[in-house]
Amino acid sequence: MLTIEGLSKTYAANGHAPACALAEVSFAVPRGGFVSLLGPSGCGKSTLLLCASGLLAPTAGRVALNGRAVTGPPPEMALIFQNAAASLFPWLTVAGNIRFVLRRKPGSKTDKEAVAAKALAEVGLSAFADHYPWQLSGGMQQRAALARGLAYGADVLLLDEPFASVDAQTREDLEDLLARVAAEQGKTVLFVTHDIDEAVYLSDTVVVLTAPPARVAATLAIDLPRPRDQVATREDRRFLDARKAIHALLRR
């Protein structure tokens, strides 16, 4: 569904030599698949995600969605950022933030209210619809950001380390929430993380990137049954083997 072909990105800096962030990166995300991008800090994962979303033009190469070149943000995609507090409008309620992304969608006000309510219910925030983002915990803010992406109706979810700033228990809860919703709604997911365990736990495929300029070091299929369990899955030999293989790649 989403194809990255020979993607390269070089940043020009005044008075400095150009910095190459990505160098001929290629991989594909199948329809309904969950693919994670994993690599060293600063290797260009977020840059790649911005190029994939159409928010940043690559220096070379191509991003295609259903065979069509991505030259700007397509309506079939939703991008969820790492810092939900910064991406949610603080002057709007949680429900208001969701309604904001629906303002240009077809349908009546009643229809859009129903869409917003359904999205909030899916992430367990129905009781907090009238709260403001700053009244929520970090985990709840991430749930609100996910609800906004779901309400938008995008087929493809792009997530940039969305759970990096929450505590371990909340992170596990959010991982399970994302996995469940993505499976139930048939979403295609491209997920950026720096956490090996998270990548293995959530993904069908993990794309491991090298240090900058980022190239694809390996693409690993994750052979673990779904639905997954935070205890049983992480004790599975296949989980441990995949974790070990990725760790070895990152240590090269």
Side-chain angles (χ1 to χ4, degrees):
M1 187 171 190
L2 180 65
T3 307
I4 312 295
E5 301 173 347
L7 197 72
S8 297
K9 179 62 181 179
T10 298
Y11 292 101
N14 292 333
H16 300 279
C20 183
L22 303 171
E24 298 184 359
V25 173
S26 298
F27 64 91
V29 184
R31 184 179 300 277
F34 198 120
V35 174
S36 286
L37 290 174
L38 190 67
S41 179
C43 75
K45 299 184 295 296
S46 295
T47 294
L48 199 157
L49 208 64
L50 290 173
C51 290
S53 70
L55 289 171
L56 187 65
T59 305
R62 179 174 182 263
V63 177
L65 179 64
N66 290 322
R68 305 188 318 272
V70 173
T71 56
E76 300 97 328
M77 282 187 186
L79 176 59
I80 298 172
F81 296 95
Q82 177 178 344
N83 189 347
S87 65
L88 296 169
F89 297 125
W91 59 87
L92 295 178
T93 63
V94 172
N97 268 278
I98 295 176
R99 288 194 296 267
F100 180 84
V101 302
L102 300 175
R103 67 197 190 284
R104 294 187 180 180
K105 293 279 187 178
S108 66
K109 180 179 179 180
T110 301
D111 292 338
K112 294 178 182 180
E113 292 285 353
V115 169
K118 183 175 184 292
L120 286 173
E122 286 169 338
V123 301
L125 285 182
S126 296
F128 297 89
D130 295 328
H131 286 60
Y132 290 90
W134 45 269
Q135 295 175 312
L136 306 180
S137 68
M140 294 168 75
Q141 289 172 354
Q142 290 294 1
R143 287 173 180 262
L146 179 57
R148 187 171 59 180
L150 295 174
Y152 185 67
D155 298 322
V156 182
L157 298 179
L158 308 179
L159 300 102
D160 190 2
E161 299 193 43
F163 311 144
S165 60
V166 298
D167 62 87
Q169 180 61 60
T170 301
R171 186 175 193 145
E172 290 183 357
D173 292 341
L174 289 170
E175 287 170 352
D176 289 337
L177 171 65
L178 174 61
R180 176 182 60 80
V181 171
E184 290 176 352
Q185 299 190 11
K187 300 296 186 184
T188 301
V189 180
L190 181 57
F191 185 89
V192 166
T193 181
H194 64 271
D195 188 286
I196 297 174
D197 287 11
E198 182 171 71
V200 175
Y201 182 75
L202 286 172
S203 306
D204 303 314
T205 303
V206 176
V207 177
V208 182
L209 301 176
T210 67
R215 295 176 171 85
V216 175
T219 300
L220 287 80
I222 305 301
D223 179 25
L224 288 166
R226 293 185 184 275
R228 294 174 185 171
D229 177 82
Q230 290 288 352
V231 177
T233 297
R234 292 172 188 268
E235 293 177 347
D236 191 301
R237 172 53 58 186
R238 292 166 291 186
F239 180 95
L240 299 174
D241 288 345
R243 186 184 187 281
K244 182 178 179 181
I246 294 171
H247 188 265
L249 286 165
L250 293 174
R251 296 288 293 177
R252 284 182 181 176

